Every structure is written in structure tokens, then in C-alpha cells.
């Protein structure tokens, strides 16, 4: 191991290593014990977005309303910024029959929403055919902060 001009140890990439940073150059790993605690303690604090502009910050139930809405609007596996567990698979129903889609919507929404640890339950109240290509889903999402009503349109075909 090399030393910097200040007498501090350096790794092979010439990065200065402090003894209290949890880095063991022999193992080339970082101590992640603190990271697990941080994940459990993360608040729901998020930015309030209105008309495409950030207006303020909010927490708890209003933040969960936004989180649920965002999950319902985000297609899974499309955006590399999100993990493969974030979002929904509802666009996979495009081209499927109404009877098949009605059965699959419940499963797909449960899979998408219940992946968030703050969401404890999902109840679908109704799935109605809105027109020849669209289903309209209504339900309630139970979170640790309260109830969040959900409404979502699911397109099964072209509207042309």
C-alpha cells in the first residue's frame, strides 16, 4: 500500500483511505451495515409537483398518493433509472381480450404496488369496460399512512 504526501494510506487507484471509512483495501469492499439501517428509516418526504413544477415538499399520506400514482403511470422495464421491480406491466395487456385483462389486472396491480413496503393491501372495487379498447379500474390502496384511492385506464387496443 502506498502513502500520500500527508502520510495517509492510498489504494491502487491513488485514493486516500481514512481508517474510519469502513473500507478494507485487502477485501476491496465497503462496510454496508449502516446502509441497511438507512433503508429502513427512509422517510416518505418527497417533492410536491403541480403542473409540471416543484411547489414544495410533503410527507406521509400526500407523498404516498403521489407514489401510488407514479407506480401506476410507470411502465416496468422501460426506464433504466428504476429497478426491474418498479412500475407496472399493464401495457402487456395491449391486444388481449377483455376477459383475460380483467383477471390479470388484479395480479399486475398487486405485483406493482405491493412491492413498496409502505403499501400493505390493495382492493380492486371495479373493472369496467369504458369503450371498445379501454378498461377503467377503481380501487383502494392501503398504506401505513392511510387509504389511497386508485383509478387507472388500461388500453387494450388502438383508438384509431
Amino acid at each position: 500500500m502506498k502513502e500520500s504526501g500527508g502520510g495517509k494510506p492510498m489504494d491502487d487507484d491513488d485514493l486516500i483511505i481514512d481508517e474510519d471509512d469502513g473500507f478494507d483495501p485487502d477485501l476491496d469492499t465497503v462496510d454496508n451495515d449502516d446502509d441497511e439501517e438507512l433503508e429502513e428509516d427512509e422517510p416518505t418526504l418527497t417533492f410536491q409537483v403541480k403542473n409540471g413544477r416543484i411547489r414544495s415538499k410533503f410527507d406521509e399520506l400526500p407523498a404516498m398518493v403521489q407514489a401510488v400514482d407514479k407506480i401506476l403511470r410507470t411502465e416496468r422495464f422501460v426506464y433504466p433509472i428504476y429497478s426491474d421491480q418498479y412500475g407496472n406491466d399493464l401495457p402487456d395487456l395491449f391486444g388481449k381480450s377483455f376477459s383475460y385483462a380483467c383477471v390479470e389486472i388484479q395480479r399486475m396491480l398487486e405485483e406493482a404496488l405491493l412491492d413498496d413496503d409502505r403499501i400493505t393491501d390493495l382492493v380492486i372495487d371495479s373493472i369496467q369496460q369504458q369503450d371498445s379498447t379501454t378498461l377503467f379500474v377503481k380501487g383502494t390502496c392501503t398504506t401505513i399512512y392511510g387509504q389511497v384511492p386508485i383509478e387507472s385506464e388500461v388500453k387494450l387496443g388502438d383508438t384509431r
Side-chain angles (χ1 to χ4, degrees):
M1 184 171 301
K2 303 182 261 184
E3 284 192 11
S4 69
K8 294 209 176 218
M10 298 174 64
D11 69 0
D12 294 334
D13 296 322
D14 295 329
L15 298 173
I16 296 174
I17 307 297
D18 285 331
E19 291 179 23
D20 62 342
D21 69 0
F23 182 77
D24 183 347
D26 296 329
L27 295 177
D28 196 29
T29 61
V30 177
D31 181 11
N32 288 326
D33 290 340
D34 294 333
D35 291 343
E36 291 175 18
E37 290 175 22
L38 289 176
E39 287 177 19
E40 293 174 13
D41 296 334
E42 287 181 11
T44 58
L45 185 65
T46 190
F47 293 105
Q48 179 184 28
V49 179
K50 283 189 178 177
N51 300 323
R53 301 181 70 111
I54 295 174
R55 297 292 181 198
S56 62
K57 292 181 184 177
F58 54 23
D59 198 7
E60 297 182 357
L61 186 59
M64 285 307 303
V65 170
Q66 182 174 308
V68 167
D69 182 58
K70 194 163 180 298
I71 291 169
L72 293 176
R73 292 176 184 263
T74 304
E75 185 178 352
R76 196 157 71 150
F77 305 119
V78 172
Y79 305 99
I81 189 171
Y82 301 119
S83 79
D84 61 355
Q85 297 301 309
Y86 187 84
N88 68 72
D89 296 320
L90 294 174
D92 290 351
L93 296 174
F94 191 85
K96 305 291 192 242
S97 70
F98 282 106
S99 58
Y100 175 80
C102 287
V103 173
E104 283 296 291
I105 284 173
Q106 173 84 29
R107 181 192 63 78
M108 288 179 166
L109 290 178
E110 284 177 355
E111 191 175 282
L113 292 166
L114 294 177
D115 188 57
D116 188 318
D117 293 337
R118 301 167 296 177
I119 299 173
T120 59
D121 193 25
L122 172 68
V123 175
I124 301 298
D125 297 321
S126 67
I127 301 172
Q128 297 176 341
Q129 186 171 344
Q130 193 167 3
D131 58 35
S132 64
T133 62
T134 307
L135 291 174
F136 189 73
V137 181
K138 281 187 172 186
T140 304
C141 187
T142 304
T143 74
I144 60 174
Y145 302 107
Q147 304 285 320
V148 176
I150 61 168
E151 293 183 352
S152 185
E153 282 188 354
V154 181
K155 298 283 187 191
L156 302 180
D158 260 341
T159 57
R160 289 186 264 171

